[in-house]
Amino acid sequence: QLSEDVGRSDWYLRLLRDTGIVAERLAKLLSSSRYAVPLLRRDPAMLQLLGDDNELTPRTHDDLMVAFTSIVERHERPDTAIAALRALRRRELFRIAMGDVGQVVSTPQVGQGLSDLAGATIDAALRIAASENPDTPPIAVIAMGRWGGGELGYSSDADCMFVVPDDVSDAGLAAAIATVARMRELLKQPGPDPALEIDADLRPEGRDGALVRTLSSYLKYYQRWSLTWESQALLRAAAGAGDLALAEELLAAINEIRWPAGGLDDAGVREVRRLKIRVDRERGGQLRERNLKLGPGGLADIEWTVQLAQLRYAHQIPELRVTSTQLALNALVNAGLFTATEVADLGAAWVRASQMRNAVMLVRGRASDQIPTDARDIAAVAMLLGYGKSEASKLLDDWARISRRATAVVDRHFWGVS
């Protein structure tokens, strides 16, 4: 199909003939990734990225902001601007995916690249939506969850909250709500380019709460009504897009909520553990052992263990006041709260679960936290992770060993089992 699309182009035949690495990478891509192939067929000229490792490295946040801002400034009509924006995002997704498939970039680089891309995309889309409503006040987008941690995967939604200054009028607040709703609509609407789903459910009062709040409204809520799970969610809050100065103002004010003075007390620790049990029971599913997010030694086990330690000790250990799981793990061992072996075991499981989750998306072209049961899919996942032919069983054995070691650390430090 690809050759039918571009086979008559001189540059395509010359590229395959003269650049062996392009042909090799293209063969690997076409045989393994239902996610990346449609991206390539939309713009076959992206094949030229495959010949240079530097072109397969995620672009920096600053570079992305320049490129995306240029799109907003070049297009006067919102519909053409959003189409160009989503096309550029598609190109950057392909760049990151091919760097991943070609093992040019690491899993943390993939996560940071996808997070930076989400931030630049949302920032530009917010400007496009605001151009339709001149009454829109400054809006700050607070990145939450994996976006806030710089750890997005290919299948991740962008968790976030929206804040406006205190001096906005009722009409300005209504305009902000309309602009945010329009921005979400523009990014998730069906079309030839991948949608970006924005999830605002971590805001105060969840789905029942206001989509956009003023700065003081957020602070009043957190100071009066905040629950322990909300303090935990705020651990990964970061300035994501929009008015960054306003975002930093909110973040500075909520530090006492996410890093409570004196640390989390015993009742709070029990509450976090009860919530974890409920989440595991409700969302883990019947095949929990094969769930990379909610299964034993999976992403949730590791992240909740790290976050519980942050809630307990970040008030006295500044190095723990970070949104990244990997940086927090480093801080835990440096502070002597975890041993080097324990941190190595947690880090290895977190990276491997993230790798496998991303690889499942690359192979199947649709999101899933489950390790595939289809033999062909798991073989393709193994290949993407550097295993040889017929070594899918080795991948599964390795994951069983890695997750088992991580589970032992989780039992000690999260559940308090000696």
Side-chain angles (χ1 to χ4, degrees):
Q1 291 173 344
L2 181 66
S3 294
E4 288 173 357
D5 291 340
V6 294
R8 295 180 182 273
S9 303
D10 291 342
W11 67 264
Y12 172 68
L13 298 174
R14 188 165 54 249
L15 186 67
L16 294 182
R17 181 192 66 199
D18 298 339
T19 314
I21 189 64
V22 172
E24 182 178 340
R25 284 174 172 168
L26 178 59
K28 186 175 183 180
L29 167 69
L30 296 178
S31 65
S32 63
S33 181
R34 298 187 191 103
Y35 175 81
V37 169
L39 303 180
L40 178 60
R41 291 199 66 199
R42 284 277 296 151
D43 183 8
M46 293 191 300
L47 267 175
Q48 297 173 84
L49 299 176
L50 305 188
D52 185 348
D53 284 1
N54 292 325
E55 292 289 349
L56 300 181
T57 301
R59 298 173 72 181
T60 67
H61 180 266
D62 290 345
D63 285 346
L64 289 169
M65 289 298 296
V66 169
F68 282 61
T69 300
S70 177
I71 284 179
V72 176
E73 294 173 348
R74 283 201 313 270
H75 296 269
E76 294 184 1
R77 291 173 47 193
D79 58 339
T80 58
I82 199 67
L85 171 64
R86 290 180 64 164
L88 181 55
R89 176 172 176 264
R90 179 227 309 143
R91 183 181 180 87
E92 296 307 318
L93 285 173
F94 181 79
R95 185 195 307 277
I96 295 169
M98 278 314 305
D100 197 357
V101 170
Q103 298 181 331
V104 174
V105 294
S106 66
T107 299
Q109 284 178 297
V110 170
Q112 189 62 61
L114 290 170
S115 300
D116 288 344
L117 180 56
T121 302
I122 291 171
D123 192 277
L126 190 62
R127 296 188 192 192
I128 293 170
S131 71
E132 298 180 318
N133 191 338
D135 295 328
T136 301
I139 301 173
V141 185
I142 308 299
M144 303 286 285
R146 298 184 73 80
W147 179 24
E151 299 163 347
L152 283 182
Y154 299 108
S155 60
S156 301
D157 295 340
D159 293 308
C160 59
M161 303 189 301
F162 302 96
V163 59
V164 293
D166 287 332
D167 58 0
V168 299
S169 63
D170 290 343
L173 181 59
I177 294 171
T179 294
V180 168
R182 175 61 171 156
M183 182 264 292
R184 297 175 74 184
E185 176 189 351
L186 290 172
L187 289 178
K188 73 175 184 179
Q189 63 188 8
D193 295 317
L196 175 59
E197 188 71 37
I198 293 176
D199 188 338
D201 289 353
L202 291 177
R203 66 187 186 271
E205 300 174 272
R207 295 180 182 178
D208 297 327
L211 180 61
V212 181
R213 287 176 179 257
T214 62
L215 177 64
S216 61
S217 175
Y218 273 107
L219 298 183
K220 287 178 182 177
Y221 174 84
Y222 285 128
Q223 290 165 357
R224 295 181 183 181
W225 310 110
S226 180
L227 302 174
T228 301
W229 76 263
E230 291 173 302
S231 297
Q232 183 179 352
L234 290 174
L235 289 172
R236 294 205 283 189
D243 189 323
L244 299 183
L246 179 60
E248 292 295 349
E249 190 174 352
L250 175 61
L251 293 174
I254 63 171
N255 284 343
E256 63 183 23
I257 306 298
R258 54 179 169 175
W259 307 318
L264 196 65
D265 59 21
D266 290 344
V269 172
R270 289 193 296 271
E271 184 179 346
V272 172
R273 288 171 176 166
R274 283 196 298 269
L275 182 58
K276 178 71 163 61
I277 291 172
R278 194 177 82 189
V279 170
D280 288 348
R281 183 181 300 122
E282 292 177 356
R283 302 181 187 175
Q286 294 182 339
L287 298 176
R288 188 169 178 268
E289 296 293 328
R290 299 180 71 90
N291 193 306
L292 295 165
K293 181 178 180 180
L294 298 172
L299 294 171
D301 269 4
I302 297 157
E303 290 168 2
W304 282 62
T305 299
V306 170
Q307 290 159 16
L308 180 60
Q310 288 177 294
L311 289 169
R312 298 177 72 181
Y313 304 114
H315 69 285
Q316 62 188 19
I317 302 173
E319 291 77 16
L320 278 174
R321 301 170 194 171
V322 292
T323 60
S324 160
T325 302
Q326 292 286 307
L327 292 179
L329 283 171
N330 294 337
L332 287 171
V333 70
N334 291 336
L337 297 172
F338 287 45
T339 68
T341 299
E342 288 173 331
V343 164
D345 288 341
L346 292 179
W350 188 89
V351 168
R352 179 48 58 91
S354 299
Q355 286 177 333
M356 293 175 70
R357 195 168 177 235
N358 281 342
V360 169
M361 181 65 173
L362 288 171
V363 167
R364 304 179 71 179
R366 62 181 187 274
S368 176
D369 293 327
Q370 296 290 140
I371 298 173
T373 54
D374 182 89
R376 290 170 297 181
D377 284 349
I378 191 60
V381 167
M383 184 193 72
L384 287 183
L385 297 185
Y387 288 80
K389 293 181 179 180
S390 304
E391 288 191 338
S393 60
K394 187 175 186 299
L395 166 63
L396 297 177
D397 289 343
D398 287 346
W399 170 243
R401 173 178 49 81
I402 292 169
S403 61
R404 185 169 58 249
R405 289 180 176 176
T407 298
V409 182
V410 171
D411 286 345
R412 287 194 294 274
H413 287 278
F414 185 84
W415 299 112
V417 178
S418 58

Coordinates of all heavy atoms in Angstrom, one line a residue, residues 82 86 122 125-126 129 158 160 162 177-189 195-201 203 207 211-212:
I82 N -6.6 24.5 13.3 CA -6.6 23.2 14.0 C -6.2 22.1 13.2 O -5.5 21.1 13.6 CB -8.0 23.0 14.7 CG1 -7.8 22.0 15.8 CG2 -9.0 22.6 13.7 CD1 -7.0 22.4 17.0
R86 N -3.1 19.7 14.2 CA -3.2 18.2 14.3 C -2.3 17.5 13.4 O -1.7 16.4 13.7 CB -4.6 17.8 14.2 CG -5.5 18.3 15.4 CD -6.9 17.9 15.3 NE -7.1 16.4 15.3 CZ -8.3 15.8 15.6 NH1 -9.3 16.5 15.8 NH2 -8.3 14.5 15.6
I122 N -1.9 21.5 23.4 CA -2.9 22.1 24.2 C -2.8 23.7 24.2 O -3.8 24.4 24.1 CB -3.0 21.5 25.6 CG1 -3.4 20.1 25.5 CG2 -3.9 22.3 26.5 CD1 -3.3 19.3 26.8
A125 N -3.9 24.9 20.8 CA -5.4 24.7 20.6 C -6.2 25.7 21.5 O -7.2 26.2 21.1 CB -5.8 23.3 21.0
L126 N -5.6 26.0 22.7 CA -6.3 27.0 23.6 C -6.3 28.4 22.9 O -7.3 29.1 23.0 CB -5.6 27.0 24.9 CG -6.2 27.8 26.1 CD1 -7.6 27.2 26.4 CD2 -5.3 27.8 27.3
A129 N -8.9 28.3 20.1 CA -10.3 28.4 20.7 C -10.6 29.8 21.2 O -11.7 30.4 21.1 CB -10.5 27.4 21.8
A158 N -4.6 13.4 28.5 CA -4.0 14.5 29.2 C -4.8 14.9 30.4 O -5.8 15.6 30.2 CB -3.7 15.6 28.2
C160 N -5.8 17.2 33.4 CA -5.4 18.6 33.7 C -6.5 19.3 34.5 O -7.7 18.8 34.6 CB -5.0 19.3 32.5 SG -6.3 19.4 31.2
F162 N -8.1 23.6 35.0 CA -8.1 24.9 34.3 C -8.3 26.0 35.4 O -9.3 25.9 36.2 CB -9.1 25.0 33.2 CG -8.9 23.9 32.2 CD1 -9.6 22.7 32.2 CD2 -8.0 24.1 31.1 CE1 -9.5 21.8 31.3 CE2 -7.8 23.2 30.2 CZ -8.6 22.0 30.2
I177 N -14.9 29.1 30.3 CA -15.5 27.8 30.3 C -15.8 27.4 28.8 O -15.6 26.3 28.4 CB -16.8 27.7 31.1 CG1 -16.4 27.9 32.6 CG2 -17.5 26.4 30.9 CD1 -17.6 28.1 33.5
A178 N -16.4 28.3 28.1 CA -16.7 28.0 26.7 C -15.5 27.8 25.8 O -15.5 26.9 25.0 CB -17.5 29.2 26.1
T179 N -14.4 28.5 26.1 CA -13.2 28.4 25.4 C -12.5 27.0 25.7 O -12.1 26.3 24.8 CB -12.2 29.5 25.7 OG1 -12.7 30.8 25.2 CG2 -10.8 29.3 25.1
V180 N -12.5 26.6 26.9 CA -12.0 25.3 27.3 C -12.8 24.2 26.7 O -12.2 23.2 26.1 CB -11.9 25.2 28.8 CG1 -11.6 23.7 29.2 CG2 -10.9 26.1 29.4
A181 N -14.1 24.3 26.7 CA -14.9 23.3 26.1 C -14.7 23.2 24.6 O -14.6 22.1 24.0 CB -16.4 23.6 26.3
R182 N -14.5 24.4 23.9 CA -14.2 24.4 22.5 C -12.9 23.8 22.2 O -12.7 23.0 21.2 CB -14.3 25.9 22.0 CG -13.9 26.1 20.6 CD -14.8 25.3 19.6 NE -14.6 25.7 18.2 CZ -14.9 24.9 17.2 NH1 -15.5 23.8 17.4 NH2 -14.6 25.4 16.0
M183 N -11.9 24.1 23.0 CA -10.5 23.5 22.8 C -10.6 22.0 22.9 O -10.0 21.3 22.1 CB -9.6 24.1 23.9 CG -8.1 23.6 23.7 SD -7.8 22.3 24.9 CE -7.9 23.0 26.5
R184 N -11.3 21.5 23.9 CA -11.4 20.0 24.0 C -12.1 19.4 22.8 O -11.7 18.4 22.3 CB -12.2 19.7 25.3 CG -11.5 20.1 26.6 CD -12.3 19.9 27.8 NE -12.4 18.5 28.2 CZ -13.1 18.0 29.2 NH1 -13.9 18.8 29.9 NH2 -13.1 16.7 29.4
E185 N -13.1 20.1 22.3 CA -13.8 19.6 21.2 C -12.9 19.6 19.9 O -12.9 18.6 19.2 CB -15.0 20.5 20.9 CG -15.8 20.2 19.6 CD -16.9 21.2 19.3 OE1 -17.1 22.1 20.1 OE2 -17.4 21.1 18.2
L186 N -12.1 20.6 19.7 CA -11.2 20.7 18.6 C -10.2 19.6 18.6 O -9.9 19.0 17.5 CB -10.5 22.0 18.6 CG -11.4 23.3 18.2 CD1 -10.5 24.6 18.4 CD2 -11.9 23.2 16.8
L187 N -9.7 19.2 19.8 CA -8.6 18.2 19.8 C -9.1 16.8 19.8 O -8.4 15.9 19.5 CB -7.8 18.4 21.1 CG -6.9 19.7 21.1 CD1 -6.2 19.8 22.5 CD2 -5.9 19.7 20.0
K188 N -10.4 16.5 20.1 CA -10.9 15.2 20.1 C -11.8 14.8 19.0 O -12.2 13.7 18.9 CB -11.6 14.9 21.5 CG -12.9 15.5 21.6 CD -13.6 15.0 23.0 CE -15.0 15.5 23.1 NZ -15.6 15.1 24.4
Q189 N -12.2 15.8 18.2 CA -13.1 15.6 17.1 C -12.6 14.5 16.1 O -11.4 14.5 15.9 CB -13.5 16.9 16.4 CG -12.3 17.5 15.7 CD -12.7 18.9 15.2 OE1 -13.8 19.4 15.5 NE2 -11.8 19.5 14.4
A195 N -6.6 11.9 17.7 CA -7.3 12.9 18.7 C -6.4 12.9 20.0 O -5.7 12.0 20.3 CB -8.7 12.4 19.0
L196 N -6.6 14.0 20.7 CA -6.0 14.1 22.0 C -7.1 14.3 23.0 O -7.8 15.3 23.0 CB -5.0 15.3 22.1 CG -4.4 15.6 23.4 CD1 -3.6 14.4 24.0 CD2 -3.5 16.9 23.4
E197 N -7.3 13.4 23.9 CA -8.4 13.4 24.8 C -7.9 14.1 26.1 O -6.9 13.8 26.7 CB -8.8 12.0 25.2 CG -10.1 11.9 26.0 CD -11.3 12.3 25.3 OE1 -11.5 11.9 24.1 OE2 -12.2 12.9 25.9
I198 N -8.7 15.1 26.5 CA -8.3 15.9 27.7 C -9.3 15.4 28.8 O -10.5 15.5 28.7 CB -8.4 17.4 27.5 CG1 -7.3 17.8 26.5 CG2 -8.3 18.2 28.8 CD1 -7.4 19.2 26.1
D199 N -8.7 15.0 29.9 CA -9.5 14.5 31.1 C -9.3 15.5 32.2 O -8.2 15.7 32.8 CB -8.9 13.1 31.5 CG -9.8 12.4 32.5 OD1 -10.6 13.1 33.2 OD2 -9.7 11.2 32.6
A200 N -10.4 16.1 32.6 CA -10.4 17.1 33.7 C -11.1 16.5 35.0 O -11.5 17.3 35.9 CB -11.1 18.4 33.3
D201 N -11.1 15.2 35.1 CA -11.9 14.6 36.3 C -11.1 14.7 37.6 O -11.7 14.4 38.6 CB -12.2 13.1 36.0 CG -13.2 13.0 34.9 OD1 -13.8 14.0 34.5 OD2 -13.5 11.8 34.5
R203 N -10.1 17.5 38.8 CA -10.4 18.8 39.4 C -11.3 18.6 40.7 O -11.8 17.5 40.9 CB -11.2 19.6 38.4 CG -12.6 19.1 38.0 CD -13.1 20.0 36.9 NE -14.5 19.7 36.6 CZ -14.9 18.8 35.7 NH1 -14.0 18.0 35.1 NH2 -16.2 18.6 35.4
R207 N -16.2 15.2 38.2 CA -17.0 15.5 37.1 C -18.2 16.4 37.5 O -18.7 17.1 36.7 CB -17.6 14.2 36.5 CG -16.6 13.3 35.9 CD -17.3 12.0 35.4 NE -16.3 11.1 34.8 CZ -16.6 9.9 34.3 NH1 -17.8 9.5 34.2 NH2 -15.6 9.2 33.8
L211 N -15.7 23.2 35.6 CA -14.6 22.9 34.7 C -13.5 23.9 34.9 O -12.3 23.6 34.7 CB -15.1 22.9 33.3 CG -14.1 22.6 32.2 CD1 -13.5 21.2 32.4 CD2 -14.8 22.7 30.8
V212 N -13.8 25.2 35.1 CA -12.8 26.2 35.2 C -13.1 26.9 36.6 O -14.3 27.3 36.9 CB -12.9 27.2 34.1 CG1 -11.8 28.3 34.3 CG2 -12.7 26.5 32.7

